């Protein structure tokens, strides 16, 4: 089994589940009142399907609190070692970031309490394109310090522009001599934009020693849906320009003419292709029961047969029904639903070919210049609205006191932060 550089933890690819439940949807950006979402039912059903990983962030409104509540109230309670918790740190609000070591530490401690856990499996520096490379480096180093204390197991970065993510992964390796465990990209491997799957970027991530690259937001934060972003809560904040919104709305019409829902086409295409294209930066930690098929298997030379790596995808849902649909699609595209059944396998292959043809022959030509278009995110024109005097300042609250941050860090009344 591969191990991390410290020689103690298994490599992330050995423990990271291939399908992750993203809980950015447990947020007012997607639901008018997330506390009235069936969030506990969603989490329960995910675990029943062995979807045993959850991605959240303090930036996602009440998401961490709701996820922690769900995990803490399930009966019987799941064992902590049976699920994988992922969160982020550094992004405070839409235009506010604090990557200082003091804030990163405070944010992680707060996440531990909200999620009701003694440790976090993976923590990303959140949306790294909005701050300087040196700030990212400082955040990564602080997260690694927390890792060395047993509060975090793996460390990564997340963001939108793939070029920025690749450059920062290279910088972290060069500056620290240690590669990142994970890089999360969103909206960059979907029907509209396949940049994350470009061979040159995948090779750069491999050369930078990144263990896993995860693909998130297969529907591009609601852009690739029948309703579209202009008819939902995303209308006011989604960064897609009007032309791209219109082009994706046309994709929904095109799918409907073929008797399809854009959501199913988009999710199936992304799951299927990232499972294959992202495999070299993926995982072997299949759901329970699948690995049993490889247990004890040997090749003709007597060597143990290991399961192939598979690209890791993050799905976001707001209802149990959406979870069920995505789970069934995932089982189909990775072949779990058809193992040992020739008829089902043939039907799945035919469905794959059908979706591929719709995307390649109809949707991509319809997108035209909007294919692989990326909106601006961060960059020189972005201004961090976090008051400079508040950077590195943690609230004077119970969290700071319980974790011993008051005595060693600057603090302020939480009402001022």
């Amino acid at each position: 089994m591969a191990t991390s550089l410290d020689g103690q933890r298994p490599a992330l690819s050995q423990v990271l589940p291939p399908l992750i439940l993203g809980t950015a949807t447990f947020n007012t950006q997607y639901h008018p009142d997330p506390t009235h979402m069936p969030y506990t039912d969603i989490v329960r059903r995910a675990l029943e399907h062995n979807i045993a990983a959850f991605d959240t962030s303090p930036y996602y409104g009440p998401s961490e609190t709701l996820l922690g509540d769900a995990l803490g109230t399930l009966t019987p309670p799941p064992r902590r070692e049976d699920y994988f918790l992922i969160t982020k740190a550094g992004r405070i609000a839409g235009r506010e970031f604090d990557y200082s070591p003091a804030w990163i530490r405070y944010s992680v401690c707060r996440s531990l309490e909200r999620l009701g856990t003694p440790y976090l499996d993976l923590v990303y520096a959140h949306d790294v394109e909005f701050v300087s490379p040196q700030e990212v480096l400082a955040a990564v180093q602080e997260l690694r310090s927390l890792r060395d204390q047993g509060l975090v197991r793996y460390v990564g970065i997340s963001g939108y522009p793939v070029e920025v993510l690749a450059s920062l992964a290279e910088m972290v390796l060069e500056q620290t001599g240690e590669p990142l465990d994970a890089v999360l990209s969103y909206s960059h491997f979907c029907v509209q934009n396949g940049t994350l799957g470009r061979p040159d970027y995948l090779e750069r991530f491999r050369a930078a020693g990144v263990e896993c690259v995860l693909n998130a937001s297969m529907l591009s934060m609601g852009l690739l849906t029948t309703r579209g972003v202009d008819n939902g809560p995303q209308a006011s904040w989604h960064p897609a320009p009007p032309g791209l919104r219109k082009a994706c709305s046309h994709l929904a019409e095109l799918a409907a003419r073929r008797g399809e829902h854009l959501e199913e086409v988009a999710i199936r295409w992304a799951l299927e292709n990232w499972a294959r294209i992202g495999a070299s930066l993926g995982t072997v930690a299949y759901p329970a029961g699948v690995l049993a098929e490889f247990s004890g298997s040997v090749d003709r030379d007597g060597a143990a047969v290991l399961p192939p790596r598979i690209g890791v995808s993050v799905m976001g849902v707001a209802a149990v029904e959406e979870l069920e649909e995505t789970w069934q699609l995932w089982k189909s595209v990775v072949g779990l639903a058809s193992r040992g059944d020739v008829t089902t396998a043939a039907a799945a292959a035919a469905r794959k070919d059908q979706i591929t043809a719709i995307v390649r022959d109809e949707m991509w030509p319809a997108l035209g210049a909007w294919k692989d278009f990326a909106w601006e995110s961060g960059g020189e024109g972005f201004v961090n609205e976090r008051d400079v005097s508040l950077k590195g300042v943690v609230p004077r609250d119970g969290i700071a006191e319980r974790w011993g941050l008051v005595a060693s860090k600057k603090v302020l009344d939480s009402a001022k932060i």
Side-chain angles (χ1 to χ4, degrees), residues 103 134 201 230 261:
W103 183 265
Q134 289 308 307
Y201 279 124
D230 287 330
H261 291 288

Side-chain angles (χ1 to χ4, degrees), residues 247-266:
C248 290
S249 177
H250 180 56
L251 296 186
E253 297 170 3
L254 190 156
R257 289 201 298 268
R258 293 292 304 270
E260 303 279 359
H261 291 288
L262 177 57
E263 292 88 338
E264 179 174 347
V265 172

